[in-house]
Amino acid sequence: MRTEWINQAGPVGAGEASPASIAVSRRSFMKVSGVVGGGLLLGFFVPGANKLANAQALKAVYAPNAFLRIAPDNTITVAVNRLEFGQGVNTSLPMLIAEELDCDWTKVRSELAPAADVFKDPVFGMQMTGGSGTIAHSYTQYREIGATARAMLIAAAAEQWQVKPAQCSTAKGVVIGPGGKKANYGALADAAMKQPMPEKVALKDPKSFRIIGKPTPRIDARAKSTGEQVFGIDASVPGMKVAVVARPPVFGGKVGKFDASKALAVKGVLAVLEVPTDRGGSGVVVIADGYWPAKTGRDALVIEWNTSAVEKISSDKQLIAYKELAQKPGTVALKADIGKLATAPKKITADYEFPYLAHAPMEPLNCIVDLKADRCTVWAGTQFQTVDQGAIARTAGMKVEQVTLNTMMAGGGFGRRAVPSSDFIVEAVQVAKAWKTAGKTSPIKVIWSREDDIKGGYYRPATVHRAEIGLDEKGDIVAWNHTIVSQSIMMGTPFEAFAVKDGVDSTMTEGMGVPYGLPMNLSVHNVTANVPVLWWRSVGSTHTGFVMETLIDEAAQMAGADPVAYRKKLIGDKHPRHLAALDLAVAKSGYGKTKLPAGQAFGVAIHESFNSVVAYVVVASMADGKPKLHSVTAGVHCNLAVNPLTIEAQVQGAILMGLGTTLAGAAVTLKDGVVEQNNFNDYVVARMSDMPKVAVHIVASGDAPTGMGEPGLPPLAPAFANALAKLSGKRLRKLPFDLA
């Protein structure tokens, strides 16, 4: 593990503990030490734009709230108001500013912003990364910042030259005036900062873009490929000690008693303390001079756990209960007349099973806490800066403005770093409090092992679907009765009011029915269980996409129709983006025109999530009873592609992750409340050797971009399953695949 020292003072930033409205003048400037230091600095936003409301009302709100710094050498540094954890926002967001700023792209840099009100997402009203919302929400926001900065630089130059701003233009970081006058941005930055901020700025016509829409290598590519990039797990601060926590084997369990003598005998171990853990439990932390003595000390602990007061889930029993519940109608999510189901000449009855899934990012969770008497400074790779900053303040017994939360580069997350309970952040602060109570003042870094990460909870929920579909003689669907059984990831969280309506968690049902216009009667059962659950890349679409696209494919087969033609007939003319994505994938794949080798088959699936549509045409085979995915051709409709290279990378990564959900062993299971998996030896993820040949094609569009971090995952497993069904004649109803 490489270590990098970080300035202990850290960037300064303050934020609210909850997404409340903030009254700040659009004309006000905000100087943030640590993030910026001199030069032109912009930070502004529209008051009242950050209240959580219904999604339709929020879509129209674009509240600029980011920073840029122009240094004397003409270097442009953009503060990214998100977490960069592999999705490419450290490049895509600066591209938006650079386009409107009209600067030299080779001079652009980026840095992750700390938690602060000014960095809140203009739609969600909180600083966060998730829901594939970065580009979709900040497209106008970041462009306005760039355009505003450009206008202020022109105004500063015009004032110096005693000419009108209209007589000036810009090109690659230089203001050009009458008579060949020139001044680079770096020389004008201080003067520009004193200019009044324009109330309105004109944004470029997309036809004139020279940066947006062009394949652009990532700013952080070199640092990551050479090992120079500092991730949270690499970071250190002076005097820091390392902590490893022994957590209860059953969620919410508590320490009965423990013997620390063997742990304290390990060289480098400094203390062994009991600490509160997530879900009302408690654990034992070993604090040492480094990770290895801390982990060795933890392994030497003798702990008797008290789990008598908590529920102990076993996956086999849970599945039986879910299947029984799926036979009964639940809370209505979609209402439709299914009277024709009983008399339909053709029927499909299908039960689907989906296990708990761990996020399993390459970088396990970690957090540095420096707890002082009147201030708490934290370094963490978090997707939920606003939520976590508030949780830190509550746990430390401080005001939010006393908390500095520095955003660190993270090695993946897929939702695990966006936890409403702030579990790993709160735990780290509890460790720091225990350390302080023991009379110590040095910063503490809590590091999770891979085993901690796999067994540590907050999984994609285990889910069961039951579908009963009636088709007429022509193969048209005349009735569809559907039931979903799962834990809700929104109920009981601060997001319940936003995502739960009439007892239905919208994340559980998203993706059902669309775009096919089906006569679907849909109900849900919200089950409670002592297993912490959370969103997982593409959220509900991880299971709804599989169910929908395999059932539509099966209906096409029953109707004796081509699966592409059948889908297009159902879609009709109401969803042109779906048709465009599907047509592009089909055309580029050779589907319907290319004769595949013996033993291979095409599979098709299309799914919309986070307002983007992805269609896949795959080629697969079976050898010795084992499935093989040979190629994937993607048709993507995400409106304007800000950086096509990022979109391509997102789709490639989503394909591999989606493929992983099909592999034997890709499941988290529990026995008597204890998670049975420990590491990648028994929790399977896809490897590079599993990766098929991938071709990504993007539908051309000038409309405002939609999200791409998650939409590439849902269609992969059903497309693969549909190809295998052609080869084997067996419809797959489970993830991971059950080919027995």
Side-chain angles (χ1 to χ4, degrees):
M1 181 188 304
R2 195 170 57 79
T3 299
E4 182 82 10
W5 291 100
I6 296 176
N7 177 6
Q8 194 169 2
V12 176
E16 299 283 358
S18 61
S21 177
I22 301 159
V24 178
S25 169
R26 178 180 171 87
R27 287 182 174 272
S28 68
F29 287 88
M30 184 175 182
K31 295 183 179 180
V32 180
S33 62
V35 178
V36 293
L40 179 61
L41 173 66
L42 297 181
F44 54 95
F45 58 93
V46 177
N50 53 347
K51 289 183 178 179
L52 283 178
N54 66 74
Q56 291 299 319
L58 288 170
K59 283 182 180 178
V61 178
Y62 294 95
N65 64 342
F67 295 101
L68 70 89
R69 180 174 76 247
I70 303 176
D73 66 356
N74 242 26
T75 298
I76 313 291
T77 302
V78 175
V80 172
N81 65 338
R82 311 284 172 161
L83 171 67
E84 171 64 78
F85 54 148
Q87 79 280 34
V89 295
N90 263 12
T91 301
S92 298
L93 287 179
M95 287 174 68
L96 300 175
I97 283 183
E99 181 67 69
E100 298 291 346
L101 183 58
D102 206 11
C103 64
D104 181 353
W105 176 251
T106 65
K107 296 283 189 178
V108 176
R109 309 289 183 266
S110 62
E111 56 190 22
L112 296 175
D117 289 340
V118 74
F119 294 123
K120 289 181 176 179
D121 181 291
V123 174
F124 289 139
M126 55 182 284
Q127 192 176 350
M128 62 164 286
T129 307
S132 294
T134 295
I135 299 301
H137 297 175
S138 291
Y139 177 65
T140 299
Q141 171 194 31
Y142 267 63
R143 289 177 64 200
E144 284 186 352
I145 291 167
T148 300
R150 177 178 174 273
M152 295 168 72
L153 288 160
I154 287 176
E159 186 176 273
Q160 289 182 14
W161 297 334
Q162 295 297 296
V163 300
K164 295 181 179 180
Q167 295 176 274
C168 301
S169 62
T170 57
K172 291 192 174 183
V174 176
V175 178
I176 304 166
K181 292 183 175 68
K182 292 184 178 182
N184 66 38
Y185 288 178
L188 293 168
D190 287 340
M193 190 175 179
K194 300 173 185 176
Q195 294 292 320
M197 188 177 295
E199 291 289 345
K200 292 184 179 180
V201 289
L203 300 181
K204 287 184 180 181
D205 186 318
K207 295 178 182 178
S208 65
F209 285 164
R210 63 180 184 85
I211 297 174
I212 294 175
K214 304 300 187 292
T216 304
R218 290 174 51 151
I219 289 174
D220 55 13
R222 179 177 294 276
K224 287 182 174 178
S225 60
T226 59
E228 296 175 359
Q229 181 65 60
V230 177
F231 293 88
I233 205 163
D234 300 316
S236 181
V237 297
M240 182 188 83
K241 306 302 178 184
V242 176
V244 177
V245 179
R247 300 174 184 84
V250 180
F251 298 113
K254 296 179 181 293
V255 176
K257 59 181 180 179
F258 68 96
D259 181 353
S261 58
K262 292 181 180 179
L264 290 168
V266 175
K267 183 179 180 181
V269 169
L270 305 172
V272 178
L273 307 167
E274 186 171 342
V275 293
T277 56
D278 191 41
R279 301 175 72 82
S282 63
V284 180
V285 63
V286 177
I287 300 173
D289 288 327
Y291 175 74
W292 190 247
K295 183 181 183 302
T296 303
R298 183 184 69 171
D299 294 345
L301 289 170
V302 178
I303 306 175
E304 291 185 16
W305 297 100
N306 181 357
T307 61
S308 59
V310 293
E311 181 187 21
K312 300 175 182 64
I313 298 293
S314 291
S315 294
D316 53 352
K317 296 178 182 178
Q318 183 186 61
L319 179 59
I320 292 170
Y322 278 22
K323 284 188 170 183
E324 289 177 352
L325 200 53
Q327 303 283 339
K328 307 171 185 177
T331 303
V332 175
L334 294 174
K335 184 73 173 177
D337 182 2
I338 55 171
K340 295 180 180 180
L341 185 61
T343 58
K346 300 177 181 179
K347 293 182 181 179
I348 298 172
T349 301
D351 294 290
Y352 285 84
E353 303 170 19
F354 302 91
Y356 289 109
L357 291 177
H359 298 79
M362 287 307 298
E363 180 197 17
L365 298 170
N366 55 86
C367 180
I368 300 174
V369 180
D370 187 8
L371 182 61
K372 304 299 185 187
D374 60 351
R375 182 139 200 105
C376 186
T377 305
V378 175
W379 292 261
T382 169
Q383 295 176 244
F384 260 16
Q385 288 96 330
T386 300
V387 172
D388 290 344
Q389 188 180 34
I392 293 165
R394 290 190 297 273
T395 307
M398 295 181 178
K399 297 178 180 178
V400 171
E401 52 266 29
Q402 293 175 281
V403 174
T404 298
L405 175 55
N406 301 305
T407 308
M408 300 301 298
M409 182 76 72
F414 314 113
R416 182 60 180 92
R417 300 176 189 273
V419 190
S421 67
S422 303
D423 70 313
F424 73 101
I425 304 284
V426 168
E427 181 189 78
V429 178
Q430 293 285 14
V431 170
K433 287 176 63 178
W435 183 235
K436 183 179 178 183
T437 300
K440 308 296 183 179
T441 60
S442 53
I444 292 290
K445 182 176 188 177
V446 177
I447 299 178
W448 293 48
S449 68
R450 176 70 60 203
E451 292 79 7
D452 295 336
D453 186 73
I454 298 295
K455 300 177 80 69
Y458 292 93
Y459 307 113
R460 195 283 305 271
T463 303
V464 163
H465 286 241
R466 179 172 176 81
E468 299 172 285
I469 304 170
L471 298 87
D472 62 18
E473 294 84 352
K474 297 182 295 183
D476 293 332
I477 297 171
V478 295
W480 188 317
N481 193 35
H482 202 105
T483 306
I484 302 174
V485 182
S486 185
Q487 289 172 254
S488 168
I489 62 174
M490 291 294 191
M491 290 181 176
T493 77
F495 302 97
E496 181 171 349
F498 180 67
V500 179
K501 183 178 181 181
D502 298 327
V504 178
D505 183 339
S506 61
T507 66
M508 192 186 301
T509 60
E510 59 188 357
M512 292 300 298
V514 180
Y516 298 117
L518 302 166
M520 179 180 289
N521 190 69
L522 175 64
S523 67
V524 302
H525 293 280
N526 300 304
V527 181
T528 59
N530 185 31
V531 182
V533 293
L534 187 66
W535 30 72
W536 190 95
R537 191 175 187 177
S538 80
V539 199
S541 290
T542 60
H543 51 89
T544 62
F546 185 81
V547 170
M548 285 301 307
E549 286 304 296
T550 54
L551 286 173
I552 290 294
D553 212 75
E554 187 171 355
Q557 180 186 23
M558 188 169 285
D562 173 80
V564 171
Y566 192 81
R567 283 174 171 82
K568 293 180 70 171
K569 178 183 175 182
L570 285 174
I571 293 171
D573 59 359
K574 295 181 180 179
H575 298 278
R577 296 173 76 229
H578 290 75
L579 291 176
L582 181 58
D583 285 343
L584 184 58
V586 168
K588 295 295 185 179
S589 68
Y591 178 93
K593 298 178 181 179
T594 302
K595 184 177 181 180
L596 297 176
Q600 295 187 5
F602 284 114
V604 177
I606 183 171
H607 190 79
E608 177 186 1
S609 57
F610 303 93
N611 298 315
S612 290
V613 182
V614 176
Y616 287 145
V617 178
V618 309
V619 175
S621 67
M622 291 281 292
D624 299 324
K626 295 182 180 180
K628 174 67 177 178
L629 187 61
H630 296 279
S631 67
V632 181
T633 303
V636 176
H637 202 316
C638 58
N639 292 350
L640 177 67
V642 171
N643 187 356
L645 283 184
T646 294
I647 293 170
E648 181 181 29
Q650 286 290 326
V651 172
Q652 291 170 339
I655 285 171
L656 190 63
M657 194 169 181
L659 177 59
T661 67
T662 73
L663 303 178
V668 167
T669 58
L670 296 97
K671 181 69 173 178
D672 296 327
V674 179
V675 173
E676 296 182 292
Q677 289 69 36
N678 286 280
N679 207 315
F680 290 142
N681 63 304
D682 53 12
Y683 181 74
V684 174
V685 297
R687 268 71 168 178
M688 288 302 295
S689 58
D690 299 307
M691 189 70 179
K693 179 181 178 182
V694 175
V696 179
H697 304 279
I698 304 170
V699 177
S701 173
D703 294 331
T706 50
M708 271 312 299
E710 295 163 282
L713 190 144
L716 189 280
F720 193 10
N722 290 336
L724 296 176
K726 289 182 180 179
L727 295 168
S728 67
K730 176 184 177 180
R731 286 287 166 180
L732 297 171
R733 312 281 196 204
K734 295 173 61 175
L735 287 179
F737 289 163
D738 181 3
L739 298 167

Short mmCIF file of all heavy atoms in Angstrom, two decimals, residues 5 83 157 176 217 231 258 290 374 444 502 507 511 515 523 540 566-567 598 638 644:
data_model
loop_
_atom_site.label_atom_id
_atom_site.label_comp_id
_atom_site.label_asym_id
_atom_site.label_seq_id
_atom_site.Cartn_x
_atom_site.Cartn_y
_atom_site.Cartn_z
N TRP A 5 1.11 11.72 2.20
CA TRP A 5 0.78 12.65 3.27
C TRP A 5 -0.14 13.74 2.73
O TRP A 5 0.02 14.24 1.64
CB TRP A 5 2.05 13.31 3.85
CG TRP A 5 2.89 12.35 4.61
CD1 TRP A 5 4.01 11.72 4.17
CD2 TRP A 5 2.66 11.87 5.93
NE1 TRP A 5 4.51 10.88 5.14
CE2 TRP A 5 3.70 10.95 6.24
CE3 TRP A 5 1.69 12.11 6.90
CZ2 TRP A 5 3.78 10.30 7.46
CZ3 TRP A 5 1.78 11.45 8.11
CH2 TRP A 5 2.81 10.56 8.38
N LEU A 83 -18.10 12.77 -6.07
CA LEU A 83 -17.05 11.80 -5.79
C LEU A 83 -16.60 11.20 -7.12
O LEU A 83 -17.45 10.79 -7.92
CB LEU A 83 -17.56 10.69 -4.88
CG LEU A 83 -16.62 9.48 -4.69
CD1 LEU A 83 -15.35 9.88 -3.95
CD2 LEU A 83 -17.33 8.35 -3.97
N ALA A 157 -10.80 42.66 -19.15
CA ALA A 157 -9.92 43.08 -20.24
C ALA A 157 -10.44 44.37 -20.88
O ALA A 157 -9.66 45.29 -21.17
CB ALA A 157 -9.82 41.97 -21.28
N ILE A 176 -9.04 38.57 -26.63
CA ILE A 176 -8.51 39.30 -27.79
C ILE A 176 -9.34 40.56 -27.97
O ILE A 176 -10.58 40.52 -28.02
CB ILE A 176 -8.60 38.43 -29.06
CG1 ILE A 176 -7.85 37.11 -28.83
CG2 ILE A 176 -8.03 39.18 -30.26
CD1 ILE A 176 -8.14 36.06 -29.87
N PRO A 217 -9.54 11.91 -23.51
CA PRO A 217 -8.88 11.07 -22.49
C PRO A 217 -9.06 11.67 -21.10
O PRO A 217 -9.11 12.88 -20.92
CB PRO A 217 -7.41 11.08 -22.91
CG PRO A 217 -7.44 11.38 -24.38
CD PRO A 217 -8.59 12.33 -24.57
N PHE A 231 -5.69 7.35 -3.44
CA PHE A 231 -7.04 6.99 -3.05
C PHE A 231 -7.17 7.14 -1.53
O PHE A 231 -6.16 7.31 -0.83
CB PHE A 231 -7.35 5.55 -3.46
CG PHE A 231 -7.41 5.35 -4.95
CD1 PHE A 231 -6.26 5.05 -5.67
CD2 PHE A 231 -8.61 5.46 -5.64
CE1 PHE A 231 -6.30 4.86 -7.04
CE2 PHE A 231 -8.66 5.27 -7.01
CZ PHE A 231 -7.51 4.97 -7.72
N PHE A 258 -14.94 -9.79 26.18
CA PHE A 258 -13.81 -10.07 25.31
C PHE A 258 -12.51 -10.09 26.10
O PHE A 258 -12.38 -9.45 27.15
CB PHE A 258 -13.72 -9.07 24.15
CG PHE A 258 -13.37 -7.66 24.55
CD1 PHE A 258 -12.05 -7.20 24.48
CD2 PHE A 258 -14.35 -6.77 24.95
CE1 PHE A 258 -11.73 -5.90 24.82
CE2 PHE A 258 -14.04 -5.46 25.29
CZ PHE A 258 -12.72 -5.03 25.22
N GLY A 290 0.04 0.65 12.61
CA GLY A 290 -0.17 0.40 11.19
C GLY A 290 -1.26 -0.62 10.98
O GLY A 290 -1.78 -1.21 11.95
N ASP A 374 -12.83 21.17 19.46
CA ASP A 374 -13.80 22.07 18.85
C ASP A 374 -13.93 21.89 17.34
O ASP A 374 -14.53 22.71 16.66
CB ASP A 374 -13.43 23.52 19.14
CG ASP A 374 -12.05 23.88 18.60
OD1 ASP A 374 -11.32 22.96 18.16
OD2 ASP A 374 -11.70 25.07 18.61
N ILE A 444 -7.14 9.08 13.61
CA ILE A 444 -7.38 7.64 13.49
C ILE A 444 -7.87 7.33 12.08
O ILE A 444 -8.75 8.01 11.56
CB ILE A 444 -8.43 7.16 14.50
CG1 ILE A 444 -7.89 7.25 15.93
CG2 ILE A 444 -8.87 5.73 14.19
CD1 ILE A 444 -6.80 6.25 16.24
N ASP A 502 -47.81 5.63 -1.30
CA ASP A 502 -48.89 4.67 -1.06
C ASP A 502 -48.34 3.28 -0.76
O ASP A 502 -48.86 2.25 -1.22
CB ASP A 502 -49.84 4.61 -2.25
CG ASP A 502 -50.53 5.94 -2.52
OD1 ASP A 502 -50.79 6.67 -1.56
OD2 ASP A 502 -50.79 6.25 -3.71
N THR A 507 -38.19 2.37 -6.16
CA THR A 507 -36.96 1.71 -6.61
C THR A 507 -37.15 0.20 -6.76
O THR A 507 -36.34 -0.46 -7.42
CB THR A 507 -35.80 1.97 -5.63
OG1 THR A 507 -36.08 1.33 -4.38
CG2 THR A 507 -35.58 3.45 -5.41
N GLY A 511 -38.69 0.25 -13.94
CA GLY A 511 -38.37 -0.60 -15.07
C GLY A 511 -39.44 -1.60 -15.43
O GLY A 511 -39.34 -2.29 -16.45
N PRO A 515 -40.89 -0.13 -22.03
CA PRO A 515 -41.72 0.81 -22.82
C PRO A 515 -42.86 0.13 -23.54
O PRO A 515 -43.32 0.61 -24.58
CB PRO A 515 -40.69 1.32 -23.82
CG PRO A 515 -39.89 0.09 -24.15
CD PRO A 515 -39.80 -0.70 -22.86
N SER A 523 -48.18 -5.64 -8.01
CA SER A 523 -48.25 -5.40 -6.57
C SER A 523 -46.94 -5.80 -5.91
O SER A 523 -46.15 -6.56 -6.48
CB SER A 523 -49.41 -6.17 -5.94
OG SER A 523 -49.20 -7.57 -6.00
N GLY A 540 -33.23 -0.97 -8.69
CA GLY A 540 -34.25 -1.97 -8.95
C GLY A 540 -34.14 -2.61 -10.32
O GLY A 540 -34.59 -3.75 -10.52
N TYR A 566 -40.92 -8.32 -32.41
CA TYR A 566 -41.96 -8.35 -31.36
C TYR A 566 -41.81 -7.15 -30.44
O TYR A 566 -42.81 -6.49 -30.08
CB TYR A 566 -41.83 -9.66 -30.58
CG TYR A 566 -42.99 -9.96 -29.67
CD1 TYR A 566 -44.16 -10.52 -30.17
CD2 TYR A 566 -42.91 -9.72 -28.30
CE1 TYR A 566 -45.23 -10.83 -29.33
CE2 TYR A 566 -43.96 -10.02 -27.45
CZ TYR A 566 -45.12 -10.57 -27.97
OH TYR A 566 -46.17 -10.87 -27.12
N ARG A 567 -40.60 -6.84 -30.03
CA ARG A 567 -40.37 -5.69 -29.17
C ARG A 567 -40.77 -4.40 -29.87
O ARG A 567 -41.42 -3.52 -29.28
CB ARG A 567 -38.89 -5.62 -28.75
CG ARG A 567 -38.51 -6.62 -27.66
CD ARG A 567 -37.00 -6.61 -27.41
NE ARG A 567 -36.63 -7.39 -26.24
CZ ARG A 567 -36.47 -8.70 -26.23
NH1 ARG A 567 -36.67 -9.40 -27.35
NH2 ARG A 567 -36.14 -9.33 -25.12
N ALA A 598 -22.11 -22.71 -35.82
CA ALA A 598 -22.93 -23.69 -35.11
C ALA A 598 -22.66 -23.63 -33.62
O ALA A 598 -21.51 -23.51 -33.18
CB ALA A 598 -22.63 -25.09 -35.65
N CYS A 638 -28.35 8.28 -24.73
CA CYS A 638 -28.24 9.09 -23.51
C CYS A 638 -28.29 10.57 -23.86
O CYS A 638 -27.72 11.40 -23.17
CB CYS A 638 -26.96 8.75 -22.76
SG CYS A 638 -25.45 8.97 -23.72
N PRO A 644 -17.72 10.84 -25.24
CA PRO A 644 -17.98 9.48 -25.73
C PRO A 644 -17.06 8.42 -25.14
O PRO A 644 -17.47 7.28 -24.95
CB PRO A 644 -17.79 9.62 -27.24
CG PRO A 644 -18.07 11.06 -27.53
CD PRO A 644 -17.55 11.81 -26.34
#
